[in-house]
């Protein structure tokens, strides 16, 4: 396990669709303290369009998916349910920190200026197990304010990702948010190992500085290789409609 390190990183952001969002709020008890923004976090914990880390041989998991999906006649909604059930039953994991959506909104019509993010790496380990990519119901495109971070770097920094449309120009921090003008931020991460990490969202309101922890319901996010944003190929790809398992990204 690596010791805890905190690294200041560049600003990130982007308007994105939300789903399965969990609410995280900072509470200040001292009188006169600034009112923090409301922050809601959506981790990349979905079973499809994601990479599974399987603690053992991939073939028993593949056989279960193949049998159950064939029984459901390959209906996309049923495939989603089979994927969720199989993920839980087999003890496989998904990289909850590969693509995180953070919705930030001010309170009581008071403007809050978001000034940046810090990444807090809590642990790093060598990757063990087998990775299997499950490409179904994946979106496309790069949001206007999407940034990526390589957690293997000595000092991880977020790099601005260019949208597919050359006419679109991404915008950096600072961002101003209020009760009527929320902002949705995106953080995309990658690693060749197994990394647990959180982030701090830095902000200023009423002339006072503060931060809000960004985490997965209080738990660290998990990042490992093999996903759609990763430079590392997964060990296997499962094709849910063809019911095939192929090496690499297939």
């Amino acid at each position: 396990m690596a010791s805890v390190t905190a690294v200041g990183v560049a600003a990130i952001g982007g308007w994105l669709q939300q789903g399965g969002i969990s609410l995280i709020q900072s509470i200040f008890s001292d009188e006169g303290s600034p009112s923090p923004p409301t922050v809601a976090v959506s981790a990349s914990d979905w079973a499809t369009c994601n990479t599974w880390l399987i603690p053992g041989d991939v073939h028993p998991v593949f056989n279960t998916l193949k049998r159950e999906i064939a029984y459901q006649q390959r209906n996309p909604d049923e495939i989603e349910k089979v994927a969720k059930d199989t993920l839980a039953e087999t003890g496989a994991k998904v990289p909850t920190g590969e693509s995180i959506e953070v919705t930030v909104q001010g309170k009581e019509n008071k403007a809050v200026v978001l000034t940046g993010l810090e990444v807090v790496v809590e642990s790093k380990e060598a990757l063990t197990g087998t990775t299997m990519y499950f490409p179904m119901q994946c979106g496309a495109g790069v949001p206007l304010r999407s940034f990526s971070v390589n957690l293997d770097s000595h000092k991880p920094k977020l790099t601005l990702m260019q949208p597919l449309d050359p006419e679109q120009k991404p915008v950096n921090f600072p961002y101003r948010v209020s009760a009527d003008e929320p902002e949705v931020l995106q953080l995309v991460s990658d690693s060749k190992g197994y990394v647990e990490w959180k982030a701090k969202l830095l902000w200023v309101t009423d002339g006072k500085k503060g931060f809000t922890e960004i985490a997965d319901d209080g738990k660290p996010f998990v990042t490992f290789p093999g996903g759609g944003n990763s430079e590392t190929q997964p060990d296997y790809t499962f094709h849910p409609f063809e019911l095939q398992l192929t090496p690499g990204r297939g």
Side-chain angles (χ1 to χ4, degrees):
M1 293 287 198
S3 60
V4 175
T5 60
V7 182
V9 296
I12 67 170
W15 288 101
L16 299 169
Q17 294 179 344
Q18 302 177 44
I21 297 179
S22 59
L23 188 63
I24 301 177
Q25 291 181 310
S26 297
I27 299 175
F28 289 74
S29 58
D30 293 340
E31 185 177 355
S33 294
S35 178
T38 297
V39 179
V41 179
S42 179
S44 52
D45 57 358
W46 44 85
T48 61
C49 194
N50 215 341
T51 302
W52 296 21
L53 180 59
I54 300 168
D57 185 5
V58 68
H59 291 92
V61 176
F62 164 63
N63 291 333
T64 297
L65 289 169
K66 182 178 179 180
R67 180 183 66 251
E68 295 300 323
I69 291 174
Y71 177 76
Q72 298 294 344
Q73 300 183 355
R74 309 182 194 186
N75 179 285
D77 291 337
E78 294 298 334
I79 291 176
E80 180 75 22
K81 183 178 183 305
V82 168
K84 291 180 180 179
D85 292 344
T86 305
L87 183 70
E89 292 168 0
T90 58
K93 297 181 179 180
V94 293
T96 57
E98 185 183 38
S99 180
I100 302 162
E101 300 173 10
V102 183
T103 303
V104 189
Q105 190 172 23
K107 293 181 179 179
E108 302 173 356
N109 294 321
K110 290 185 177 181
V112 179
V113 178
L114 311 180
T115 58
L117 283 168
E118 291 181 354
V119 173
V120 181
V121 177
E122 298 203 342
S123 68
K124 289 185 178 181
E125 299 177 2
L127 186 69
T128 58
T130 305
T131 54
M132 184 189 75
Y133 187 46
F134 198 132
M136 192 188 81
Q137 297 181 343
C138 296
V142 178
L144 284 176
R145 301 184 186 99
S146 181
F147 289 70
S148 62
V149 57
N150 183 351
L151 296 170
D152 296 333
S153 300
H154 178 61
K155 293 183 178 181
K157 293 183 178 180
L158 287 161
T159 302
L160 187 64
M161 299 174 65
Q162 293 296 324
L164 296 178
D165 185 350
E167 298 298 322
Q168 295 180 325
K169 303 299 181 183
V171 181
N172 281 336
F173 275 117
Y175 302 121
R176 179 187 181 277
V177 299
S178 65
D180 298 325
E181 297 178 318
E183 181 68 63
V184 182
L185 317 176
Q186 182 186 37
L187 177 58
V188 176
S189 68
D190 187 24
S191 174
K192 293 182 180 179
Y194 186 94
V195 182
E196 294 185 348
W197 59 282
K198 296 181 180 179
K200 292 180 179 179
L201 176 64
L202 310 179
W203 44 263
V204 176
T205 183
D206 294 329
K208 299 177 182 179
K209 297 180 180 180
F211 70 87
T212 299
E213 182 181 79
I214 306 300
D216 184 14
D217 282 330
K219 305 184 300 293
F221 299 110
V222 173
T223 296
F224 54 80
N229 298 318
S230 177
E231 296 182 357
T232 304
Q233 291 277 323
D235 297 321
Y236 296 91
T237 294
F238 171 66
H239 306 273
F241 297 105
E242 296 85 359
L243 299 180
Q244 295 179 352
L245 186 71
T246 59
R249 203 173 299 282

